[in-house]
Amino acid sequence: MTEDTRPEAYAELASVGPYGVRPGHALITMVEPHPGHEYAYNRWYEDDHYYAGAMAMPWMYAGRRWVATRELQELRYPEKSAVAQPVNAGCYLSTYWITDGRYDEHMKWTVGINKRLGRDGRVYQDRTHVFTSFQDHEATVYRDGAAGPRDYHALDHPYAGLVLEVVDAESPDTRAELLEWLRSRHLPERLAGGPAALVTVFRPTPLPGDRMTYVKQVEGVGTRLTLLWFLERDPREVWADHFTGLDAEVAETGLGRLELAAPFIPTVPGTDRYVDELR
């Protein structure tokens, strides 16, 4: 007996609504597998969840996983972070792009599929969500102007590393001013002649009330900005010269504070490379 999957609905839904390629929204999730579960978590995420819980969903069209070895974790700052406690928590980072204007539709699917995965025993419980949120795109700043890959290529282009930066405005009233400083002054100056080809800037959105209970509600919805720096070189080679002092520069504006600067390198899909370098 053939299972009814309502195939007629797919043609109807595909014929309406936005279907551009710009990353209007993102899922950014930093996770810490519990001690002793590093290999099992990595295999579950790569072999099952990355696909069934993410890439197979409508309107989520690009994704990439990143990892912070212990050496990379030790580069993070500030020591007292509102994002990660302790600051080295969260050795895996997954980033996904969602089609602009399709957030609501995607969220309905993701809540439904994750409830189903849970019922079917396909959710790995021995991990902690350190920083997980859906976010809306605010800006992309390029080092080389119109040359090079665009932001919608960023999760497919073979970048050598990524820096996750989280900043909090002093208040909801100052976030727009902080964003403008980042977009027009700080990021162009930092990008010029440096190892990052582009930076995307997002702001978090609250998770729905029927989210999975193991994912905490998003903090800093009114004040936070999340930056993803896409690097053409290994972050260990460029950290000292290009990524120290971000906290002081943000603080000098009087508009906000840096809550996390964390470097990552890409995982190698289908392998357990770097798993034995996490602790």
Side-chain angles (χ1 to χ4, degrees):
M1 181 178 177
T2 302
E3 184 177 0
D4 181 13
T5 58
R6 307 183 199 176
E8 68 284 348
Y10 290 87
E12 179 183 351
L13 293 173
S15 68
V16 297
Y19 67 124
V21 300
R22 298 304 303 272
H25 322 275
L27 170 59
I28 302 170
T29 174
M30 186 168 68
V31 172
E32 181 73 12
H34 295 172
H37 292 266
E38 295 85 357
Y39 281 91
Y41 168 79
N42 189 53
R43 291 274 44 87
W44 164 75
Y45 201 100
E46 282 206 344
D47 297 343
D48 189 10
H49 199 64
Y50 178 82
Y51 300 105
M55 295 305 300
M57 297 192 203
W59 309 115
M60 182 172 273
Y61 67 90
R64 175 161 291 187
R65 293 185 74 217
W66 313 84
V67 61
T69 62
R70 182 168 182 172
E71 183 182 10
L72 288 163
Q73 294 167 33
E74 291 174 351
L75 297 175
R76 295 181 182 183
Y77 67 97
E79 184 177 352
K80 293 184 179 180
S81 167
V83 174
Q85 300 101 27
V87 70
N88 64 342
C91 55
Y92 281 106
L93 178 72
S94 297
T95 51
Y96 302 96
W97 291 166
I98 300 168
T99 301
D100 192 19
R102 289 296 194 172
Y103 177 79
D104 291 341
E105 293 93 328
H106 177 78
M107 287 305 299
K108 288 183 180 299
W109 188 284
T110 193
V111 170
I113 198 65
N114 277 285
K115 287 182 177 179
R116 183 181 182 186
L117 290 170
R119 290 194 301 267
D120 291 346
R122 289 172 63 181
V123 175
Y124 199 88
Q125 300 294 349
D126 288 297
R127 90 258 198 229
T128 299
H129 281 263
V130 178
F131 178 70
T132 293
S133 60
F134 287 87
Q135 309 212 15
D136 287 343
H137 180 260
E138 286 285 0
T140 300
V141 181
Y142 296 96
R143 181 191 61 198
D144 304 322
R150 302 292 87 188
D151 52 10
Y152 43 86
H153 302 127
L155 301 184
D156 296 308
H157 187 78
Y159 285 112
L162 177 140
V163 174
L164 169 67
E165 180 183 358
V166 181
V167 295
D168 277 342
E170 290 299 328
S171 72
D173 294 335
T174 61
R175 184 167 66 177
E177 190 175 354
L178 178 61
L179 172 63
E180 183 55 32
W181 172 77
L182 289 167
R183 178 167 41 196
S184 63
R185 293 183 54 191
H186 177 68
L187 295 180
E189 292 172 3
R190 279 272 177 168
L191 283 167
L198 63 98
V199 182
T200 57
V201 185
F202 293 88
R203 59 175 174 84
T205 60
L207 288 170
D210 55 353
R211 69 188 186 281
M212 300 299 99
T213 56
Y214 51 80
V215 182
K216 66 180 180 180
Q217 186 52 273
V218 177
E219 300 171 343
V221 169
T223 57
R224 184 158 290 174
L225 294 169
T226 304
L227 290 71
L228 301 176
W229 300 69
F230 291 89
L231 309 185
E232 294 177 328
R233 294 176 60 187
D234 188 308
R236 289 166 289 197
E237 300 173 2
V238 301
W239 191 256
D241 292 335
H242 294 279
F243 289 98
T244 56
L246 293 172
D247 50 350
E249 292 186 28
V250 174
E252 285 172 4
T253 68
L255 299 172
R257 61 195 177 278
L258 177 81
E259 292 294 357
L260 183 66
F264 293 83
I265 55 177
T267 61
V268 181
T271 76
D272 288 318
R273 188 172 179 183
Y274 305 119
V275 175
D276 59 355
E277 300 177 42
L278 301 178
R279 309 299 183 197

